[in-house]
């Protein structure tokens, strides 16, 4: 009986570990030579690498255009206070133009095997956040990418608005201040927290898994941290080194 139990434990552990999938943080930009984060090229690289998904960030310009960029600023220009035509004049470091959401999604659609992990950035008002959510969901739907797209945000309002408008969407919260039980109570699908949050709350991954929630952690660029989270049964890892972690 003891041997059977040990064997089952080993099989279960192997099964859990096998389920940990890799998400390229802002695409796979950390190449040699490096390319621009959140660029079309970074998404293409993630597709070629055949990881589970590629994460990218959305802002809205002053005139209502959805663009892909991590920071609130593009160069010295604040995206929310600048018209798209002015932002577009400044190219990315790899020579690309600042991508629109539609540009990015069209590239994403070329490889249905790579999930599009859409991060909608918080903004200065709830009304503006809701406007962005509406536009993002419409763009995704119009391109037929509902099943290929998941959503994350540091804004609880954004997360809940996505679920309100599209209850079938998979939405994970990023801030790290809600327990798995609270995430479940909010009607969200998972928690995507910085790995330090899981280090401080070592039972949260198992609790979330028991509740049927998605578990993800960012930005994991240390192999030892990756192995620890993987051993705890985490579903996903978001990383700047997807090429180093995908076969671990």
């Amino acid at each position: 009986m003891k041997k059977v139990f040990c064997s089952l434990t080993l099989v279960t552990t192997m099964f859990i570990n096998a389920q940990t999938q890799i998400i390229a943080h802002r695409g796979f930009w950390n190449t040699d030579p490096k390319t621009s984060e959140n660029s079309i090229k970074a998404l293409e690289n993630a597709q070629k690498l055949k990881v589970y998904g590629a994460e990218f960030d959305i802002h809205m310009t002053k005139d209502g255009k959805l663009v892909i960029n991590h920071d609130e600023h593009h160069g010295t220009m604040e995206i929310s206070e600048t018209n798209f035509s002015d932002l577009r004049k400044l190219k990315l470091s790899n020579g690309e133009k600042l991508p629109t959401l539609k540009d990015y999604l069209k590239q994403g659609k070329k490889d249905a095997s790579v999930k599009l992990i859409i991060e909608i950035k918080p903004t200065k008002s709830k009304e503006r956040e809701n406007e962005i959510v509406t536009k993002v969901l419409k763009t995704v739907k119009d391109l037929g990418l509902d099943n290929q797209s998941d959503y994350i945000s540091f804004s609880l309002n954004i997360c809940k608005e996505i679920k309100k408008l599209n209850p079938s969407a998979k939405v994970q919260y990023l801030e790290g201040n809600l327990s798995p039980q609270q995430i479940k109570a909010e009607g969200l699908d998972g928690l995507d927290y910085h790995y330090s949050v899981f280090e401080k709350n070592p039972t949260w991954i198992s609790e979330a898994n028991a509740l049927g929630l998605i578990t993800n952690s960012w930005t994991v660029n240390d192999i030892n941290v990756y192995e620890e989270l993987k051993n705890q049964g985490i579903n996903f890892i978001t990383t700047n080194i997807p090429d180093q972690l995908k076969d671990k």
Side-chain angles (χ1 to χ4, degrees):
M1 178 64 80
K2 186 175 181 180
K3 288 182 179 179
V4 172
F5 178 78
C6 290
S7 297
L8 286 172
T9 301
L10 178 60
V11 169
T12 301
T13 301
M14 291 172 63
F15 178 78
I16 289 172
N17 288 348
Q19 301 310 298
T20 302
Q21 301 279 358
I22 301 299
I23 295 169
H25 185 231
R26 307 176 196 169
F28 181 29
W29 54 268
N30 195 19
T31 49
D32 185 18
K34 288 181 172 59
T35 193
S36 300
E37 299 177 10
N38 276 314
S39 63
I40 298 292
K41 181 61 176 177
L43 176 56
E44 289 178 353
N45 290 343
Q47 291 170 327
K48 290 176 183 176
L49 192 61
K50 294 299 180 185
V51 290
Y52 172 85
E55 180 264 357
F56 56 98
D57 309 283
I58 296 176
H59 292 271
M60 187 168 72
T61 66
K62 183 179 180 180
D63 52 347
K65 195 81 169 177
L66 298 174
V67 295
I68 310 303
N69 199 67
H70 177 262
D71 299 329
E72 296 176 0
H73 292 80
H74 178 47
T76 60
M77 298 174 284
E78 186 173 348
I79 293 174
S80 64
E81 299 298 326
T82 308
N83 288 331
F84 175 70
S85 59
D86 293 323
L87 291 164
R88 192 82 158 177
K89 293 173 185 176
L90 177 62
K91 292 185 177 180
L92 304 182
S93 61
N94 69 354
E96 287 184 28
K97 293 180 179 179
L98 181 70
T100 65
L101 174 61
K102 187 172 285 187
D103 293 334
Y104 215 84
L105 293 179
K106 284 181 177 178
Q107 176 60 40
K109 193 170 184 177
K110 293 178 181 179
D111 187 348
S113 70
V114 177
K115 278 277 190 180
L116 302 170
I117 313 300
I118 301 172
E119 179 176 348
I120 302 178
K121 292 292 188 180
T123 63
K124 298 171 182 177
S125 71
K126 181 177 179 180
E127 291 72 25
R128 187 174 173 84
E129 288 186 347
N130 293 350
E131 179 185 354
I132 294 172
V133 168
T134 299
K135 287 185 173 183
V136 170
L137 293 181
K138 183 179 187 305
T139 305
V140 170
K141 183 178 179 63
D142 288 349
L143 287 170
L145 288 169
D146 277 331
N147 292 334
Q148 195 179 332
S149 303
D150 291 345
Y151 301 89
I152 57 177
S153 184
F154 283 95
S155 165
L156 186 58
N157 173 64
I158 286 174
C159 289
K160 294 177 75 170
E161 186 68 12
I162 294 169
K163 292 298 289 185
K164 175 183 172 183
L165 297 180
N166 183 4
S168 64
K170 298 297 183 185
V171 183
Q172 300 163 63
Y173 182 54
L174 291 167
E175 185 63 34
N177 60 337
L178 297 180
S179 69
Q181 292 77 14
Q182 290 172 309
I183 291 289
K184 189 77 172 179
E186 292 287 357
L188 304 182
D189 300 288
L191 49 164
D192 184 355
Y193 290 166
H194 189 266
Y195 62 85
S196 63
V197 175
F198 292 122
E199 289 175 344
K200 293 174 184 175
N201 301 277
T203 63
W204 276 12
I205 292 174
S206 61
E207 289 173 13
N209 288 339
L211 290 168
L213 296 171
I214 300 165
T215 52
N216 193 352
S217 186
W218 55 272
T219 301
V220 180
N221 301 320
D222 183 295
I223 291 175
N224 291 328
V225 173
Y226 168 69
E227 292 291 350
E228 176 59 32
L229 292 168
K230 185 178 179 182
N231 288 336
Q232 291 182 50
I234 200 162
N235 301 139
F236 301 100
I237 292 291
T238 302
T239 180
N240 292 334
I241 54 170
D243 55 326
Q244 296 179 49
L245 298 185
K246 70 181 292 279
D247 296 320
K248 286 288 182 182

